[in-house]
Amino acid sequence: MLEKMESVNVDQVIEEFETITKDAEKIQRETLKRILEENGSAEYLQNLGLNGRTDPESYKACVPLVSHPDLEPYIRRIADGDNSRILTGKAITALSISTGTTQGKPKLIPFNDELMENTMQIFRTSFAFRNKEFPLGNGKALQFIYGRSPVMTKGGLRVGPATAHVYGNSKFKSGMKSMQTPYCSPDEVIFGPDYQQSLYCHLLCGLIFCEEIQLVSSTFAHGIVQAFRTFELVWEELCADIQEGVLSSRVTTPSIRASMSKILKPNPELADLIHRRCLRLSNWYGLIPTLFPNAKYIYGILTGSMEHYLKKLRHYAGELHLVCADYGASEGWIGVNVNPSLPPESATYAVLPNIGYYEFLPLRQNVEDQVLCLEPKPVGLTDVTVGEEYEIITTNFAGLYRYQLGDVVKVMGFHNSTPELKFVCRKNLLLSIALDKATEKDLQLSVESAAKLLAEEKLEVIDFTSHADVSTDPGHYIIFWEISGDASEEVLKECCNCLDQSFLDGGYFTSRKTNVIGPLELRVVHKGTFQKILDHHVSLGSAPNQFKTPRCVGTVNNAVLQILTNNVAKKYFSSVLW
Ligand code: AMP
């Protein structure tokens, strides 16, 4: 029997969102109450002396701020199969592996049905706002997503990336249909064991259904750019597969081959059409709308560390809109993009007050606290100040209580009474040797300035990262670049100088001037080095679509540092006289 799928009622979803954001403070109190009632019997909360109280004041007084290492012993017990009420009222049955690109090692985080519900609420809400601006027709979505089959802990819990838990849930598949975006690839492709093979087949499925594709997406911009960089290399092979109706021998996984054989039939006309479309392009500009003429937009997380890929994404997108997806983490969702027509550089996320309890730790102390040497205190969701930056603290339905997420956000305004946040950076991603404190954003801006010199040579920085090297005296910054082709020595020396001069942080300036920090070093790495870093993270259990290049690699992340150092092709030191 054919399944009848109700479409999302866009107006109703928007109305619900408007209602819950009108009195966000009340909704926050109610949400905290629900979380504490459902989980009050958990050992973690029992030990903190809440004694059944569920009001924010008692909660803040009894429950300490924590970060992941504080919870590790509890999560380890859960992973090992202790199914007593440790962090939650109901036993946790799945754990998410977050990419752990900050600390170099993946983190395990509890996942449960409530987080799945939150995910679908976020997806529905942002779809409703998006569809008002960019209505989709009936068709399919080309989604570069990778599920991975979960592994089991010795205690019998499913462990996998958070996105894999989502893609493996039947609510995701039906949700995508109700949002007019059923994905075009078979499940066997999404859950294939080798993501390079899955990526090839995603591209092939996209081409087979090219006239039906309504949108192209991945979790993060990196996944879309990586897919079309691969397309540039394999497009003729893809056309040959369509021409002959035979899947390339590069795909060896039997389940993927079997599922693809159901949709891949010889189609010389389509192969010829795609071939002609590709040959029409100049340097692949506008590739995505050329291949998928009915696509309405490109969709994914495009902010934060993804901003570096925007230039390339815009190149592939031509005139097609880039729409920014939402803001969340394996630890839970935070906000939804309710202004989808804004460019990624201005994107904000309105916090959903009913999916978690949120606090905001000010990064700037107020004057009174400074005088009294008091630590800054977290403020509630509706007490944040426009223009200020905060670290987010989240309490969710899956056993995280007052958990410091490590993300810095800036309050840009309010939607009704809930704040609209701009993602600023990861808090711990800092290059720091002496007085200097260069954030992820400072690094990105510095790379952007220097990359302009490369662009004059028609070259681009494919990816980049950094390291604060204190093994030398004085210590110095090392920037690693992977470049799309060969640049002259002269240009690379200029790029190195430009990188050095573009860190605008006062601490860096002073430290460089007094030689407390030595000349910046640019190390150009061989092509494919950043792919090796992605492969390394995938081998540790991360999902390729959740991958974020670590923008600063510390010595704790030795494996990645080794990959970088083993692949250095050229080195330059800044010759700027400060
Ligand atoms: P993970 O749990 O490994 O998937 O990573 C979650 C992290 O990705 C968050 O803590 C953020 O640092 C980053 N992230 C998620 N959504 C966004 C977004 N919309 N913009 C920028 N960064 C994001």
Side-chain angles (χ1 to χ4, degrees):
M1 202 178 82
L2 273 180
E3 195 187 345
K4 188 171 174 327
M5 184 49 57
E6 294 280 326
S7 309
V8 167
N9 182 334
V10 164
D11 292 324
Q12 189 185 333
V13 172
I14 293 182
E15 204 182 302
E16 277 164 18
F17 175 78
E18 295 299 336
T19 309
I20 58 168
T21 53
K22 278 205 176 106
D23 194 349
E25 197 202 341
K26 177 170 149 252
I27 302 285
Q28 278 283 272
R29 279 184 173 268
E30 289 170 3
T31 306
L32 180 65
K33 186 165 182 277
R34 265 176 48 226
I35 293 175
L36 296 179
E37 280 173 357
E38 280 179 26
N39 301 298
S41 59
E43 170 191 325
Y44 183 81
L45 289 177
Q46 286 280 315
N47 289 342
L48 293 170
L50 269 168
N51 298 328
R53 286 170 295 167
T54 61
D55 60 288
E57 295 70 26
S58 310
Y59 180 62
K60 288 182 205 170
C62 296
V63 178
L65 297 183
V66 290
S67 51
H68 195 268
D70 301 308
L71 297 183
E72 253 171 357
Y74 299 90
I75 297 176
R76 182 52 38 218
R77 278 172 55 204
I78 296 175
D80 289 346
D82 180 344
N83 60 9
S84 62
R85 297 166 183 172
I86 299 176
L87 288 171
T88 46
K90 269 191 282 173
I92 291 286
T93 52
L95 294 170
S96 298
I97 305 182
S98 89
T99 24
T101 40
T102 318
Q103 299 302 330
K105 81 174 176 25
K107 293 179 285 185
L108 287 180
I109 294 151
F111 185 88
N112 64 7
D113 289 347
E114 279 85 351
L115 289 194
M116 184 66 210
E117 285 301 327
N118 297 164
T119 306
M120 295 319 294
Q121 188 189 345
I122 286 268
F123 285 2
R124 267 194 309 275
T125 310
S126 71
F127 168 77
F129 281 92
R130 221 162 52 236
N131 221 40
K132 283 265 173 204
E133 300 267 355
F134 307 107
L136 294 177
N138 283 327
K140 295 186 191 305
L142 170 54
Q143 300 203 37
F144 296 101
I145 56 177
Y146 307 88
R148 298 184 74 114
S149 307
V151 288
M152 292 294 172
T153 66
K154 65 177 182 199
L157 268 83
R158 275 182 302 127
V159 179
T163 48
H165 294 317
V166 171
Y167 305 147
N169 191 303
S170 60
K171 287 185 183 149
F172 175 71
K173 196 169 193 169
S174 54
M176 287 299 112
K177 285 189 189 147
S178 67
M179 289 171 220
Q180 294 163 255
T181 48
Y183 39 83
C184 65
S185 305
D187 288 348
E188 290 78 359
V189 168
I190 295 171
F191 288 94
D194 176 319
Y195 80 93
Q196 298 283 7
Q197 293 184 26
S198 295
L199 167 55
Y200 184 87
C201 291
H202 276 315
L203 288 167
L204 191 54
C205 292
L207 295 180
I208 293 170
F209 298 107
C210 62
E211 304 299 314
E212 290 174 60
I213 297 297
Q214 292 289 308
L215 79 96
V216 174
S217 77
S218 186
T219 315
F220 288 101
H222 176 271
I224 310 175
V225 168
Q226 194 216 17
F228 288 98
R229 281 192 196 279
T230 305
F231 180 88
E232 287 188 30
L233 304 175
V234 299
W235 69 281
E236 282 170 307
E237 200 174 326
L238 290 163
C239 285
D241 288 4
I242 296 173
Q243 168 96 21
E244 304 293 333
V246 179
L247 184 59
S248 159
S249 59
R250 70 165 67 225
V251 181
T252 53
T253 307
S255 58
I256 300 188
R257 290 197 73 84
S259 67
M260 288 301 293
S261 70
K262 294 186 192 136
I263 52 175
L264 178 63
K265 305 286 172 225
N267 191 338
E269 294 80 34
L270 179 61
D272 186 49
L273 176 74
I274 295 163
H275 207 267
R276 276 186 282 115
R277 282 177 175 169
C278 288
L279 291 184
R280 209 165 74 203
L281 295 169
S282 160
N283 195 25
W284 302 104
Y285 177 81
L287 172 61
I288 297 177
T290 305
L291 291 178
F292 311 111
N294 296 311
K296 306 294 183 298
Y297 52 87
I298 295 168
Y299 184 61
I301 293 173
L302 311 176
T303 42
S305 63
M306 294 299 134
E307 281 182 29
H308 171 70
Y309 310 105
L310 282 179
K311 192 158 179 256
K312 190 70 181 171
L313 194 55
R314 287 199 162 108
H315 184 82
Y316 287 137
E319 301 295 306
L320 200 58
H321 301 283
L322 300 186
V323 182
C324 210
D326 308 304
Y327 173 30
S330 307
E331 289 91 340
W333 285 97
I334 315 286
V336 62
N337 178 5
V338 295
N339 302 304
S341 55
L342 289 180
E345 290 82 354
S346 326
T348 57
Y349 305 99
V351 181
L352 269 186
N354 68 340
I355 60 174
Y357 181 74
Y358 303 100
E359 295 167 73
F360 293 81
L361 193 60
L363 291 188
R364 220 179 44 161
Q365 270 179 309
N366 65 34
V367 182
E368 282 160 40
D369 285 354
Q370 271 175 22
V371 173
L372 298 170
C373 293
L374 293 175
E375 291 282 314
K377 278 204 197 67
V379 297
L381 179 72
T382 51
D383 300 322
V384 292
T385 307
V386 174
E388 287 296 319
E389 291 188 359
Y390 299 89
E391 181 188 353
I392 295 198
I393 297 163
T394 177
T395 295
N396 72 10
F397 282 91
L400 301 185
Y401 307 98
R402 308 196 80 204
Y403 177 97
Q404 294 186 257
L405 195 56
D407 283 347
V408 177
V409 294
K410 182 170 182 175
V411 179
M412 304 305 287
F414 282 87
H415 184 103
N416 295 323
S417 62
T418 202
E420 291 194 333
L421 310 174
K422 185 177 171 62
F423 181 89
V424 178
C425 59
R426 291 286 300 164
K427 190 176 142 203
N428 297 333
L429 276 186
L430 277 181
L431 274 170
S432 181
I433 289 176
L435 300 171
D436 54 310
K437 273 193 177 56
T439 64
E440 203 181 340
K441 188 79 198 166
D442 296 326
L443 174 64
Q444 184 203 321
L445 293 175
S446 161
V447 169
E448 255 171 41
S449 307
K452 286 191 187 128
L453 302 168
L454 271 190
E456 287 168 19
E457 308 249 307
K458 304 222 174 324
L459 291 171
E460 53 182 308
V461 178
I462 293 181
D463 224 329
F464 67 94
T465 187
S466 66
H467 173 65
D469 186 1
V470 287
S471 67
T472 54
D473 188 20
H476 70 294
Y477 288 5
I478 303 176
I479 311 291
F480 294 90
W481 268 10
E482 184 174 325
I483 310 181
S484 57
D486 286 329
S488 66
E489 295 286 301
E490 199 185 321
V491 168
L492 288 169
K493 278 182 193 157
E494 263 184 73
C495 289
C496 181
N497 288 353
C498 179
L499 284 166
D500 199 11
Q501 283 171 309
S502 304
F503 283 98
L504 298 175
D505 163 50
Y508 187 73
F509 181 86
T510 315
S511 309
R512 280 289 284 120
K513 226 176 157 47
T514 50
N515 205 31
V516 171
I517 295 182
L520 179 142
E521 183 182 351
L522 170 63
R523 293 191 185 173
V524 179
V525 293
H526 293 295
K527 255 190 154 176
T529 303
F530 281 84
Q531 179 67 39
K532 288 185 186 160
I533 296 176
L534 166 58
D535 293 343
H536 165 73
H537 279 280
V538 170
S539 75
L540 296 180
S542 308
N545 53 289
Q546 254 177 275
F547 177 72
K548 295 164 276 304
T549 297
R551 292 294 181 219
C552 177
V553 181
T555 37
V556 284
N557 203 346
N558 191 38
V560 172
L561 205 52
Q562 278 305 315
I563 296 175
L564 288 162
T565 18
N566 293 344
N567 284 281
V568 175
K570 293 173 183 169
K571 294 179 181 185
Y572 303 89
F573 281 93
S574 161
S575 55
V576 176
L577 295 174
W578 287 73

